[in-house]
PDB file of all heavy atoms in Angstrom:
ATOM      1  N   ILE Q  78     -34.463 -12.791 -10.687  1.00 91.00           N
ATOM      2  CA  ILE Q  78     -35.139 -12.614  -9.377  1.00 91.00           C
ATOM      3  C   ILE Q  78     -36.470 -11.867  -9.488  1.00 91.00           C
ATOM      4  O   ILE Q  78     -37.452 -12.287  -8.855  1.00 91.00           O
ATOM      5  CB  ILE Q  78     -34.202 -11.913  -8.357  1.00 91.00           C
ATOM      6  CG1 ILE Q  78     -33.004 -12.838  -8.025  1.00 91.00           C
ATOM      7  CG2 ILE Q  78     -34.962 -11.602  -7.073  1.00 91.00           C
ATOM      8  CD1 ILE Q  78     -31.964 -12.185  -7.150  1.00 91.00           C
ATOM      9  N   PRO Q  79     -36.557 -10.768 -10.280  1.00 91.00           N
ATOM     10  CA  PRO Q  79     -37.842 -10.075 -10.374  1.00 91.00           C
ATOM     11  C   PRO Q  79     -38.977 -10.943 -10.931  1.00 91.00           C
ATOM     12  O   PRO Q  79     -40.165 -10.650 -10.699  1.00 91.00           O
ATOM     13  CB  PRO Q  79     -37.533  -8.897 -11.321  1.00 91.00           C
ATOM     14  CG  PRO Q  79     -36.064  -8.677 -11.198  1.00 91.00           C
ATOM     15  CD  PRO Q  79     -35.515 -10.066 -11.035  1.00 91.00           C
ATOM     16  N   GLN Q  80     -38.621 -12.003 -11.639  1.00 92.00           N
ATOM     17  CA  GLN Q  80     -39.634 -12.870 -12.244  1.00 92.00           C
ATOM     18  C   GLN Q  80     -40.131 -13.971 -11.283  1.00 92.00           C
ATOM     19  O   GLN Q  80     -41.082 -14.676 -11.580  1.00 92.00           O
ATOM     20  CB  GLN Q  80     -39.060 -13.522 -13.503  1.00 92.00           C
ATOM     21  CG  GLN Q  80     -38.603 -12.534 -14.558  1.00 92.00           C
ATOM     22  CD  GLN Q  80     -37.862 -13.195 -15.711  1.00 92.00           C
ATOM     23  OE1 GLN Q  80     -37.781 -14.418 -15.792  1.00 92.00           O
ATOM     24  NE2 GLN Q  80     -37.294 -12.396 -16.595  1.00 92.00           N
ATOM     25  N   LEU Q  81     -39.464 -14.096 -10.153  1.00 93.00           N
ATOM     26  CA  LEU Q  81     -39.802 -15.147  -9.203  1.00 93.00           C
ATOM     27  C   LEU Q  81     -40.716 -14.664  -8.104  1.00 93.00           C
ATOM     28  O   LEU Q  81     -40.682 -13.492  -7.712  1.00 93.00           O
ATOM     29  CB  LEU Q  81     -38.504 -15.720  -8.602  1.00 93.00           C
ATOM     30  CG  LEU Q  81     -37.519 -16.296  -9.610  1.00 93.00           C
ATOM     31  CD1 LEU Q  81     -36.199 -16.633  -8.915  1.00 93.00           C
ATOM     32  CD2 LEU Q  81     -38.082 -17.548 -10.295  1.00 93.00           C
ATOM     33  N   LYS Q  82     -41.539 -15.561  -7.590  1.00 93.00           N
ATOM     34  CA  LYS Q  82     -42.500 -15.211  -6.536  1.00 93.00           C
ATOM     35  C   LYS Q  82     -42.105 -15.869  -5.217  1.00 93.00           C
ATOM     36  O   LYS Q  82     -42.168 -17.095  -5.087  1.00 93.00           O
ATOM     37  CB  LYS Q  82     -43.901 -15.650  -6.940  1.00 93.00           C
ATOM     38  CG  LYS Q  82     -44.429 -14.913  -8.183  1.00 93.00           C
ATOM     39  CD  LYS Q  82     -45.823 -15.403  -8.549  1.00 93.00           C
ATOM     40  CE  LYS Q  82     -46.350 -14.658  -9.788  1.00 93.00           C
ATOM     41  NZ  LYS Q  82     -47.718 -15.119 -10.172  1.00 93.00           N
ATOM     42  N   PHE Q  83     -41.706 -15.027  -4.280  1.00 93.00           N
ATOM     43  CA  PHE Q  83     -41.323 -15.531  -2.951  1.00 93.00           C
ATOM     44  C   PHE Q  83     -42.501 -15.352  -1.975  1.00 93.00           C
ATOM     45  O   PHE Q  83     -43.391 -14.561  -2.223  1.00 93.00           O
ATOM     46  CB  PHE Q  83     -40.115 -14.732  -2.436  1.00 93.00           C
ATOM     47  CG  PHE Q  83     -38.858 -14.959  -3.211  1.00 93.00           C
ATOM     48  CD1 PHE Q  83     -38.602 -14.277  -4.390  1.00 93.00           C
ATOM     49  CD2 PHE Q  83     -37.903 -15.872  -2.734  1.00 93.00           C
ATOM     50  CE1 PHE Q  83     -37.422 -14.485  -5.100  1.00 93.00           C
ATOM     51  CE2 PHE Q  83     -36.738 -16.108  -3.453  1.00 93.00           C
ATOM     52  CZ  PHE Q  83     -36.508 -15.406  -4.638  1.00 93.00           C
ATOM     53  N   ARG Q  84     -42.455 -16.061  -0.880  1.00 91.00           N
ATOM     54  CA  ARG Q  84     -43.472 -15.958   0.150  1.00 91.00           C
ATOM     55  C   ARG Q  84     -42.963 -15.080   1.292  1.00 91.00           C
ATOM     56  O   ARG Q  84     -41.753 -15.069   1.596  1.00 91.00           O
ATOM     57  CB  ARG Q  84     -43.863 -17.346   0.697  1.00 91.00           C
ATOM     58  CG  ARG Q  84     -44.371 -18.293  -0.364  1.00 91.00           C
ATOM     59  CD  ARG Q  84     -44.962 -19.562   0.293  1.00 91.00           C
ATOM     60  NE  ARG Q  84     -44.040 -20.235   1.226  1.00 91.00           N
ATOM     61  CZ  ARG Q  84     -43.124 -21.107   0.837  1.00 91.00           C
ATOM     62  NH1 ARG Q  84     -42.980 -21.429  -0.435  1.00 91.00           N
ATOM     63  NH2 ARG Q  84     -42.326 -21.676   1.732  1.00 91.00           N
ATOM     64  N   SER Q  85     -43.860 -14.431   1.969  1.00 89.00           N
ATOM     65  CA  SER Q  85     -43.464 -13.525   3.055  1.00 89.00           C
ATOM     66  C   SER Q  85     -42.922 -14.270   4.260  1.00 89.00           C
ATOM     67  O   SER Q  85     -42.223 -13.684   5.096  1.00 89.00           O
ATOM     68  CB  SER Q  85     -44.674 -12.670   3.515  1.00 89.00           C
ATOM     69  OG  SER Q  85     -45.743 -13.479   3.905  1.00 89.00           O
ATOM     70  N   ASP Q  86     -43.243 -15.575   4.380  1.00 90.00           N
ATOM     71  CA  ASP Q  86     -42.755 -16.362   5.535  1.00 90.00           C
ATOM     72  C   ASP Q  86     -41.402 -17.006   5.261  1.00 90.00           C
ATOM     73  O   ASP Q  86     -40.883 -17.739   6.129  1.00 90.00           O
ATOM     74  CB  ASP Q  86     -43.784 -17.425   5.927  1.00 90.00           C
ATOM     75  CG  ASP Q  86     -43.996 -18.461   4.828  1.00 90.00           C
ATOM     76  OD1 ASP Q  86     -43.722 -18.155   3.632  1.00 90.00           O
ATOM     77  OD2 ASP Q  86     -44.424 -19.605   5.147  1.00 90.00           O
ATOM     78  N   GLN Q  87     -40.812 -16.747   4.111  1.00 94.00           N
ATOM     79  CA  GLN Q  87     -39.519 -17.375   3.757  1.00 94.00           C
ATOM     80  C   GLN Q  87     -38.346 -16.525   4.222  1.00 94.00           C
ATOM     81  O   GLN Q  87     -38.448 -15.318   4.429  1.00 94.00           O
ATOM     82  CB  GLN Q  87     -39.437 -17.566   2.235  1.00 94.00           C
ATOM     83  CG  GLN Q  87     -40.321 -18.676   1.711  1.00 94.00           C
ATOM     84  CD  GLN Q  87     -40.208 -18.828   0.200  1.00 94.00           C
ATOM     85  OE1 GLN Q  87     -40.286 -17.835  -0.535  1.00 94.00           O
ATOM     86  NE2 GLN Q  87     -40.016 -20.054  -0.250  1.00 94.00           N
ATOM     87  N   THR Q  88     -37.209 -17.195   4.358  1.00 95.00           N
ATOM     88  CA  THR Q  88     -35.936 -16.514   4.637  1.00 95.00           C
ATOM     89  C   THR Q  88     -35.097 -16.648   3.371  1.00 95.00           C
ATOM     90  O   THR Q  88     -34.909 -17.746   2.864  1.00 95.00           O
ATOM     91  CB  THR Q  88     -35.212 -17.161   5.816  1.00 95.00           C
ATOM     92  OG1 THR Q  88     -35.976 -16.955   7.017  1.00 95.00           O
ATOM     93  CG2 THR Q  88     -33.830 -16.539   6.012  1.00 95.00           C
ATOM     94  N   VAL Q  89     -34.641 -15.502   2.858  1.00 96.00           N
ATOM     95  CA  VAL Q  89     -33.828 -15.489   1.662  1.00 96.00           C
ATOM     96  C   VAL Q  89     -32.392 -15.105   2.012  1.00 96.00           C
ATOM     97  O   VAL Q  89     -32.168 -14.067   2.626  1.00 96.00           O
ATOM     98  CB  VAL Q  89     -34.392 -14.519   0.614  1.00 96.00           C
ATOM     99  CG1 VAL Q  89     -33.498 -14.444  -0.624  1.00 96.00           C
ATOM    100  CG2 VAL Q  89     -35.815 -14.883   0.226  1.00 96.00           C
ATOM    101  N   VAL Q  90     -31.453 -15.979   1.670  1.00 97.00           N
ATOM    102  CA  VAL Q  90     -30.042 -15.708   1.962  1.00 97.00           C
ATOM    103  C   VAL Q  90     -29.310 -15.517   0.612  1.00 97.00           C
ATOM    104  O   VAL Q  90     -29.270 -16.424  -0.208  1.00 97.00           O
ATOM    105  CB  VAL Q  90     -29.394 -16.859   2.749  1.00 97.00           C
ATOM    106  CG1 VAL Q  90     -27.929 -16.567   3.028  1.00 97.00           C
ATOM    107  CG2 VAL Q  90     -30.148 -17.111   4.045  1.00 97.00           C
ATOM    108  N   SER Q  91     -28.731 -14.347   0.424  1.00 95.00           N
ATOM    109  CA  SER Q  91     -28.060 -14.053  -0.827  1.00 95.00           C
ATOM    110  C   SER Q  91     -26.540 -14.143  -0.723  1.00 95.00           C
ATOM    111  O   SER Q  91     -25.953 -13.610   0.222  1.00 95.00           O
ATOM    112  CB  SER Q  91     -28.433 -12.634  -1.315  1.00 95.00           C
ATOM    113  OG  SER Q  91     -27.665 -12.255  -2.438  1.00 95.00           O
ATOM    114  N   PHE Q  92     -25.924 -14.829  -1.679  1.00 94.00           N
ATOM    115  CA  PHE Q  92     -24.477 -14.906  -1.769  1.00 94.00           C
ATOM    116  C   PHE Q  92     -23.933 -13.975  -2.839  1.00 94.00           C
ATOM    117  O   PHE Q  92     -22.755 -13.972  -3.159  1.00 94.00           O
ATOM    118  CB  PHE Q  92     -24.031 -16.349  -2.131  1.00 94.00           C
ATOM    119  CG  PHE Q  92     -24.467 -17.411  -1.166  1.00 94.00           C
ATOM    120  CD1 PHE Q  92     -24.702 -18.718  -1.613  1.00 94.00           C
ATOM    121  CD2 PHE Q  92     -24.612 -17.122   0.185  1.00 94.00           C
ATOM    122  CE1 PHE Q  92     -25.074 -19.710  -0.732  1.00 94.00           C
ATOM    123  CE2 PHE Q  92     -24.998 -18.110   1.075  1.00 94.00           C
ATOM    124  CZ  PHE Q  92     -25.248 -19.420   0.619  1.00 94.00           C
ATOM    125  N   ILE Q  93     -24.823 -13.151  -3.449  1.00 91.00           N
ATOM    126  CA  ILE Q  93     -24.422 -12.293  -4.571  1.00 91.00           C
ATOM    127  C   ILE Q  93     -23.623 -11.108  -4.057  1.00 91.00           C
ATOM    128  O   ILE Q  93     -24.108 -10.290  -3.266  1.00 91.00           O
ATOM    129  CB  ILE Q  93     -25.656 -11.798  -5.353  1.00 91.00           C
ATOM    130  CG1 ILE Q  93     -26.498 -13.005  -5.830  1.00 91.00           C
ATOM    131  CG2 ILE Q  93     -25.241 -10.966  -6.550  1.00 91.00           C
ATOM    132  CD1 ILE Q  93     -27.823 -12.618  -6.452  1.00 91.00           C
ATOM    133  N   SER Q  94     -22.387 -10.986  -4.504  1.00 82.00           N
ATOM    134  CA  SER Q  94     -21.468  -9.982  -3.937  1.00 82.00           C
ATOM    135  C   SER Q  94     -21.819  -8.544  -4.299  1.00 82.00           C
ATOM    136  O   SER Q  94     -21.634  -7.635  -3.499  1.00 82.00           O
ATOM    137  CB  SER Q  94     -20.046 -10.292  -4.409  1.00 82.00           C
ATOM    138  OG  SER Q  94     -19.942 -10.199  -5.803  1.00 82.00           O
ATOM    139  N   THR Q  95     -22.313  -8.316  -5.509  1.00 83.00           N
ATOM    140  CA  THR Q  95     -22.496  -6.929  -5.958  1.00 83.00           C
ATOM    141  C   THR Q  95     -23.958  -6.457  -6.052  1.00 83.00           C
ATOM    142  O   THR Q  95     -24.252  -5.474  -6.708  1.00 83.00           O
ATOM    143  CB  THR Q  95     -21.793  -6.713  -7.334  1.00 83.00           C
ATOM    144  OG1 THR Q  95     -22.280  -7.689  -8.241  1.00 83.00           O
ATOM    145  CG2 THR Q  95     -20.300  -6.855  -7.192  1.00 83.00           C
ATOM    146  N   ILE Q  96     -24.853  -7.141  -5.388  1.00 87.00           N
ATOM    147  CA  ILE Q  96     -26.239  -6.650  -5.244  1.00 87.00           C
ATOM    148  C   ILE Q  96     -26.431  -6.414  -3.767  1.00 87.00           C
ATOM    149  O   ILE Q  96     -26.535  -7.373  -2.970  1.00 87.00           O
ATOM    150  CB  ILE Q  96     -27.286  -7.647  -5.787  1.00 87.00           C
ATOM    151  CG1 ILE Q  96     -27.102  -7.858  -7.300  1.00 87.00           C
ATOM    152  CG2 ILE Q  96     -28.685  -7.090  -5.533  1.00 87.00           C
ATOM    153  CD1 ILE Q  96     -28.143  -8.765  -7.923  1.00 87.00           C
ATOM    154  N   ASN Q  97     -26.454  -5.148  -3.348  1.00 87.00           N
ATOM    155  CA  ASN Q  97     -26.540  -4.843  -1.921  1.00 87.00           C
ATOM    156  C   ASN Q  97     -27.925  -5.166  -1.347  1.00 87.00           C
ATOM    157  O   ASN Q  97     -28.872  -5.466  -2.078  1.00 87.00           O
ATOM    158  CB  ASN Q  97     -26.113  -3.406  -1.643  1.00 87.00           C
ATOM    159  CG  ASN Q  97     -27.069  -2.374  -2.234  1.00 87.00           C
ATOM    160  OD1 ASN Q  97     -28.272  -2.536  -2.243  1.00 87.00           O
ATOM    161  ND2 ASN Q  97     -26.491  -1.290  -2.726  1.00 87.00           N
ATOM    162  N   TYR Q  98     -28.021  -5.071  -0.034  1.00 89.00           N
ATOM    163  CA  TYR Q  98     -29.217  -5.442   0.690  1.00 89.00           C
ATOM    164  C   TYR Q  98     -30.463  -4.690   0.216  1.00 89.00           C
ATOM    165  O   TYR Q  98     -31.538  -5.276  -0.047  1.00 89.00           O
ATOM    166  CB  TYR Q  98     -29.003  -5.232   2.194  1.00 89.00           C
ATOM    167  CG  TYR Q  98     -30.219  -5.479   3.046  1.00 89.00           C
ATOM    168  CD1 TYR Q  98     -30.575  -6.796   3.412  1.00 89.00           C
ATOM    169  CD2 TYR Q  98     -31.011  -4.426   3.495  1.00 89.00           C
ATOM    170  CE1 TYR Q  98     -31.676  -7.025   4.205  1.00 89.00           C
ATOM    171  CE2 TYR Q  98     -32.121  -4.660   4.293  1.00 89.00           C
ATOM    172  CZ  TYR Q  98     -32.463  -5.970   4.646  1.00 89.00           C
ATOM    173  OH  TYR Q  98     -33.562  -6.196   5.418  1.00 89.00           O
ATOM    174  N   PHE Q  99     -30.354  -3.361   0.113  1.00 87.00           N
ATOM    175  CA  PHE Q  99     -31.504  -2.533  -0.218  1.00 87.00           C
ATOM    176  C   PHE Q  99     -31.949  -2.748  -1.666  1.00 87.00           C
ATOM    177  O   PHE Q  99     -33.132  -2.710  -1.989  1.00 87.00           O
ATOM    178  CB  PHE Q  99     -31.178  -1.071   0.080  1.00 87.00           C
ATOM    179  CG  PHE Q  99     -30.884  -0.840   1.549  1.00 87.00           C
ATOM    180  CD1 PHE Q  99     -29.602  -0.692   1.987  1.00 87.00           C
ATOM    181  CD2 PHE Q  99     -31.933  -0.824   2.471  1.00 87.00           C
ATOM    182  CE1 PHE Q  99     -29.351  -0.507   3.335  1.00 87.00           C
ATOM    183  CE2 PHE Q  99     -31.673  -0.635   3.818  1.00 87.00           C
ATOM    184  CZ  PHE Q  99     -30.375  -0.489   4.256  1.00 87.00           C
ATOM    185  N   LYS Q 100     -30.984  -2.979  -2.556  1.00 88.00           N
ATOM    186  CA  LYS Q 100     -31.333  -3.237  -3.944  1.00 88.00           C
ATOM    187  C   LYS Q 100     -32.002  -4.616  -4.060  1.00 88.00           C
ATOM    188  O   LYS Q 100     -32.976  -4.757  -4.781  1.00 88.00           O
ATOM    189  CB  LYS Q 100     -30.049  -3.207  -4.805  1.00 88.00           C
ATOM    190  CG  LYS Q 100     -30.309  -3.300  -6.289  1.00 88.00           C
ATOM    191  CD  LYS Q 100     -29.043  -3.133  -7.088  1.00 88.00           C
ATOM    192  CE  LYS Q 100     -29.321  -3.146  -8.578  1.00 88.00           C
ATOM    193  NZ  LYS Q 100     -28.086  -2.948  -9.367  1.00 88.00           N
ATOM    194  N   LEU Q 101     -31.482  -5.573  -3.303  1.00 89.00           N
ATOM    195  CA  LEU Q 101     -32.074  -6.905  -3.316  1.00 89.00           C
ATOM    196  C   LEU Q 101     -33.502  -6.878  -2.772  1.00 89.00           C
ATOM    197  O   LEU Q 101     -34.413  -7.522  -3.310  1.00 89.00           O
ATOM    198  CB  LEU Q 101     -31.219  -7.854  -2.474  1.00 89.00           C
ATOM    199  CG  LEU Q 101     -31.622  -9.336  -2.416  1.00 89.00           C
ATOM    200  CD1 LEU Q 101     -31.546  -9.939  -3.829  1.00 89.00           C
ATOM    201  CD2 LEU Q 101     -30.746 -10.126  -1.454  1.00 89.00           C
ATOM    202  N   LYS Q 102     -33.719  -6.093  -1.728  1.00 88.00           N
ATOM    203  CA  LYS Q 102     -35.008  -5.954  -1.121  1.00 88.00           C
ATOM    204  C   LYS Q 102     -36.018  -5.353  -2.124  1.00 88.00           C
ATOM    205  O   LYS Q 102     -37.187  -5.780  -2.197  1.00 88.00           O
ATOM    206  CB  LYS Q 102     -34.931  -5.047   0.113  1.00 88.00           C
ATOM    207  CG  LYS Q 102     -36.107  -5.085   1.037  1.00 88.00           C
ATOM    208  CD  LYS Q 102     -35.844  -4.297   2.298  1.00 88.00           C
ATOM    209  CE  LYS Q 102     -37.032  -4.355   3.256  1.00 88.00           C
ATOM    210  NZ  LYS Q 102     -36.758  -3.615   4.511  1.00 88.00           N
ATOM    211  N   LYS Q 103     -35.520  -4.423  -2.915  1.00 87.00           N
ATOM    212  CA  LYS Q 103     -36.356  -3.776  -3.929  1.00 87.00           C
ATOM    213  C   LYS Q 103     -36.709  -4.761  -5.055  1.00 87.00           C
ATOM    214  O   LYS Q 103     -37.836  -4.796  -5.544  1.00 87.00           O
ATOM    215  CB  LYS Q 103     -35.657  -2.557  -4.504  1.00 87.00           C
ATOM    216  CG  LYS Q 103     -36.489  -1.717  -5.440  1.00 87.00           C
ATOM    217  CD  LYS Q 103     -35.722  -0.483  -5.893  1.00 87.00           C
ATOM    218  CE  LYS Q 103     -36.552   0.360  -6.853  1.00 87.00           C
ATOM    219  NZ  LYS Q 103     -35.811   1.587  -7.307  1.00 87.00           N
ATOM    220  N   ILE Q 104     -35.709  -5.568  -5.462  1.00 86.00           N
ATOM    221  CA  ILE Q 104     -35.927  -6.526  -6.543  1.00 86.00           C
ATOM    222  C   ILE Q 104     -36.894  -7.607  -6.139  1.00 86.00           C
ATOM    223  O   ILE Q 104     -37.732  -8.054  -6.936  1.00 86.00           O
ATOM    224  CB  ILE Q 104     -34.562  -7.157  -6.970  1.00 86.00           C
ATOM    225  CG1 ILE Q 104     -33.647  -6.101  -7.561  1.00 86.00           C
ATOM    226  CG2 ILE Q 104     -34.787  -8.282  -7.966  1.00 86.00           C
ATOM    227  CD1 ILE Q 104     -32.243  -6.604  -7.883  1.00 86.00           C
TER     228      ILE Q 104
END
Side-chain angles (χ1 to χ4, degrees):
I78 294 174
Q80 301 172 7
L81 301 172
K82 295 180 180 180
F83 293 83
R84 302 190 306 274
S85 58
D86 63 337
Q87 287 179 312
T88 295
V89 177
V90 181
S91 172
F92 301 149
I93 305 173
S94 62
T95 54
I96 297 182
N97 66 39
Y98 175 81
F99 298 102
K100 188 174 183 179
L101 184 63
K102 195 173 182 179
K103 186 177 180 180
I104 294 174

